Amino acid sequence: MMNIEGYRNIEKEGEVMRRKIMERLKKWRNAKNRLPLLLYGARQVGKTYIIREFGRSYFENTVYVNFEEDKALAGYLEVKLTPAYIIKVIEEQYGVKIYPQKTLIIFDEIQSCEHALTSLKYFAEQAPEYCVVAAGSLLGVAINRQQYSFPVGKVQLENLYPLDLEEYLWARDKDMLVDLIRQCYTTNKPLPEALHKEALNLYEDYLLTGGMPAVVAAALNDGDADELKRLIYNSYVADMAKYAGKGDSVKIAEAYDSLPVQLARENNKFQYKLIRTGARSSLYGASIDWLIQSGIVLKCTKCEQGLMPLAAYEDLSSFNLYFSDTGIFNSRLQLTKQSLAAARQYMGALTENYVAIQLKANGYKLNYWTSTATAEVDFVIVQNGEVVPIECKANIHVKSKSLDSFVKRYDIKQSIRLSMRNFGFENNIKSVPLYAAFCV
């Protein structure tokens, strides 16, 4: 049976799968006032692979420490946390020589060793000449539960998400198509119809496959991508049992399993009663926080006004939750490309979930807006200091009284409408095909 480890080395005919995070890592390496870098992200988004590839490509040598596996080293760190001591221990334990600027030191699964996390502060203060990258899958959960001494202000934080659609197209050798899509986004000129149809077809492939690197690699190599998605989902459930108490893990799993039902509703504000009868925030609030901190769901908070600053108008008690990967979402629905068009109840939910992922990968905070009546705008972002509403449509029918209401109420200069339609611009609404959401 296929397993996740079988696709740990994500390569395609000798070429490494291209990720945008690599440019940020290179910028970090060359920074004048470099801090240790801490890479967040859910399990299986490719953190370990990308930082090891970064080390192979841009350093003379790399030292890789996995604190889930190396308990002995964690024991040494209980003695002393000075960089000089830690480097000496690693050199002796691993039989390598560590050089300032030339060696990449990788601390993986750092959530398993509180002292390793604390040591990042001392690397920042006492030995900034050493290049240290740490990664953790459930770091937010560990810090929240165990009161870790987090090195506030002493690390550079970076988030890694599943492949967005642009990275997926790169993996499919569609670099030229990506360039044309970006060009059309800038000019608002339509993509030639044949290319528009091809891009829509690739978008539907991505919608079902998702962006987990191992799953994408399996799909590209005729592997069992569906089985891998199920394995990743099961690994998430296993983490719930491992990193939460017995009672908590049951509630976390119940909340997570309610997402397809939550998202299928026309008003998909998260409702505790859909988890089970009698459920309420006092019982499940901590479970929701666990899912968010683990990175396996994305939170979109309601804003009551379309005014700057948006954060001042957030209603923290009202929110939507999305899967962090459409492939995992689809795995719960068991849809195929043939059945996708018929699944009208979920097409809107899948589309909205997809857009949430693309926006989050681009660094936007997720908000939505509803009026006291029935008007609702799917996403509201801040772009160049301006409030920009985003409407998502799963097909070519794009009329929206909600968007019109929002624009008039808050005198919005420009809106974005994502749909199956080609690029265009009319009545201050930027028409963007769904496959170009990564351009926003």
Side-chain angles (χ1 to χ4, degrees):
M1 180 178 291
M2 182 185 301
N3 56 49
I4 297 170
E5 297 301 322
Y7 284 90
R8 180 66 68 189
N9 292 329
I10 305 161
E11 297 185 358
K12 178 168 58 68
E13 296 182 357
E15 295 183 6
V16 176
M17 195 174 284
R18 183 179 170 190
R19 300 299 306 269
K20 296 177 183 178
I21 188 75
M22 190 65 83
E23 293 303 315
R24 302 204 296 275
L25 293 177
K26 288 160 59 178
K27 185 177 180 180
W28 166 81
R29 178 185 182 275
N30 297 324
K32 185 176 181 180
N33 300 312
R34 183 183 57 232
L35 296 171
L37 187 140
L38 191 55
L39 188 62
Y40 278 86
R43 287 202 186 276
Q44 308 303 329
V45 297
K47 297 185 302 299
T48 299
Y49 179 80
I50 200 67
I51 55 180
R52 297 193 78 164
E53 181 59 33
F54 175 55
R56 283 192 293 268
S57 300
Y58 299 100
F59 291 84
E60 290 187 8
N61 68 324
T62 299
V63 178
Y64 176 78
V65 179
N66 186 314
F67 284 104
E68 275 193 346
E69 300 173 353
D70 195 338
K71 303 298 183 183
L73 184 61
Y76 280 106
L77 266 61
E78 293 179 9
V79 178
K80 193 185 294 185
L81 291 179
T82 61
Y85 170 78
I86 293 173
I87 288 169
K88 181 179 178 181
V89 169
I90 293 174
E91 287 180 333
E92 291 182 356
Q93 290 288 104
Y94 287 79
V96 297
K97 185 65 178 175
I98 296 174
Y99 302 96
Q101 310 293 349
K102 298 179 181 180
T103 302
L104 180 65
I105 304 170
I106 299 174
F107 290 160
D108 205 359
E109 301 297 353
I110 197 172
Q111 77 278 354
S112 296
C113 182
E114 177 181 356
H115 293 94
L117 183 64
T118 304
S119 76
L120 299 180
K121 171 186 175 182
Y122 299 106
F123 273 100
E125 294 175 345
Q126 301 174 17
E129 68 273 17
Y130 287 98
C131 300
V132 183
V133 173
S137 298
L138 292 165
L139 189 53
V141 172
I143 291 169
N144 184 59
R145 290 182 62 85
Q146 300 181 33
Q147 305 300 314
Y148 276 20
S149 177
F150 188 81
V152 178
K154 302 298 182 180
V155 293
Q156 178 176 325
L157 299 175
E158 291 286 350
N159 276 295
L160 183 63
Y161 299 99
L163 278 74
D164 68 6
L165 183 55
E166 183 173 26
E167 293 171 316
Y168 175 78
L169 292 176
W170 288 337
R172 295 283 299 265
D173 293 327
K174 298 295 180 181
D175 300 55
M176 187 177 294
L177 179 60
V178 167
D179 292 342
L180 289 171
I181 289 171
R182 284 200 170 275
Q183 181 180 332
C184 291
Y185 180 85
T186 301
T187 62
N188 296 317
K189 293 181 179 179
L191 197 65
E193 190 60 25
L195 295 178
H196 175 65
K197 290 180 178 178
E198 179 187 2
L200 286 175
N201 187 54
L202 289 164
Y203 155 73
E204 290 184 349
D205 288 343
Y206 173 86
L207 206 62
L208 297 178
T209 303
M212 289 299 188
V215 176
V216 173
L220 292 176
N221 292 282
D222 298 321
D224 193 341
D226 290 334
E227 175 64 14
L228 269 175
K229 284 185 281 188
R230 286 189 289 269
L231 285 170
I232 293 173
Y233 171 81
N234 290 337
S235 74
Y236 287 167
V237 175
D239 279 340
M240 296 171 195
K242 182 177 180 180
Y243 291 96
K246 186 175 180 181
D248 291 336
S249 64
V250 171
K251 288 187 287 188
I252 293 167
E254 287 178 337
Y256 190 48
D257 283 340
S258 78
L259 256 63
V261 177
Q262 303 274 1
L263 291 168
R265 297 173 63 87
E266 190 168 334
N267 175 11
N268 59 8
K269 170 192 171 184
F270 191 88
Q271 299 183 39
Y272 291 95
K273 66 181 181 181
L274 295 179
I275 300 175
R276 64 177 175 86
T277 304
R280 55 188 185 274
S281 60
S282 59
L283 286 175
Y284 284 89
S287 301
I288 299 301
D289 288 342
W290 193 100
L291 291 169
I292 295 167
Q293 290 161 4
S294 70
I296 64 177
V297 302
L298 305 177
K299 184 179 182 180
C300 182
T301 307
K302 177 183 176 182
C303 60
E304 297 184 318
Q305 304 286 339
L307 301 170
M308 288 292 292
L310 276 182
Y313 300 100
E314 287 185 332
D315 176 2
L316 300 179
S317 66
S318 298
F319 57 89
N320 301 333
L321 292 182
Y322 297 102
F323 286 91
S324 62
D325 178 68
T326 58
I328 303 300
F329 187 5
N330 176 58
S331 180
R332 307 308 300 153
L333 303 179
Q334 296 183 316
L335 293 175
T336 64
K337 196 162 186 178
Q338 290 70 33
S339 63
L340 190 62
R344 294 183 179 181
Q345 182 182 8
Y346 277 102
M347 268 308 296
L350 270 169
T351 302
E352 198 172 308
N353 201 137
Y354 155 79
V355 173
I357 292 168
Q358 307 305 299
L359 293 175
K360 193 68 176 178
N362 273 354
Y364 291 108
K365 189 178 188 305
L366 300 181
N367 289 105
Y368 72 99
W369 173 84
T370 60
S371 70
T372 53
T374 58
E376 177 172 342
V377 174
D378 298 316
F379 298 101
V380 181
I381 63 171
V382 177
Q383 196 175 68
N384 300 320
E386 299 284 345
V387 173
V388 178
I390 299 176
E391 190 76 6
C392 307
K393 297 294 183 181
N395 47 45
I396 61 172
H397 304 294
V398 296
K399 289 185 178 181
S400 174
K401 292 182 179 179
S402 297
L403 183 60
D404 294 341
S405 174
F406 186 89
V407 168
K408 291 176 182 177
R409 181 177 299 194
Y410 300 111
D411 191 26
I412 299 298
K413 295 179 180 179
Q414 181 174 303
S415 309
I416 296 174
R417 179 180 287 130
L418 292 158
S419 72
M420 290 285 194
R421 289 193 175 188
N422 213 322
F423 292 96
F425 191 88
E426 187 178 5
N427 298 324
N428 291 327
I429 298 176
K430 187 178 182 72
S431 176
V432 179
L434 285 161
Y435 56 73
F438 63 80
C439 297
V440 175

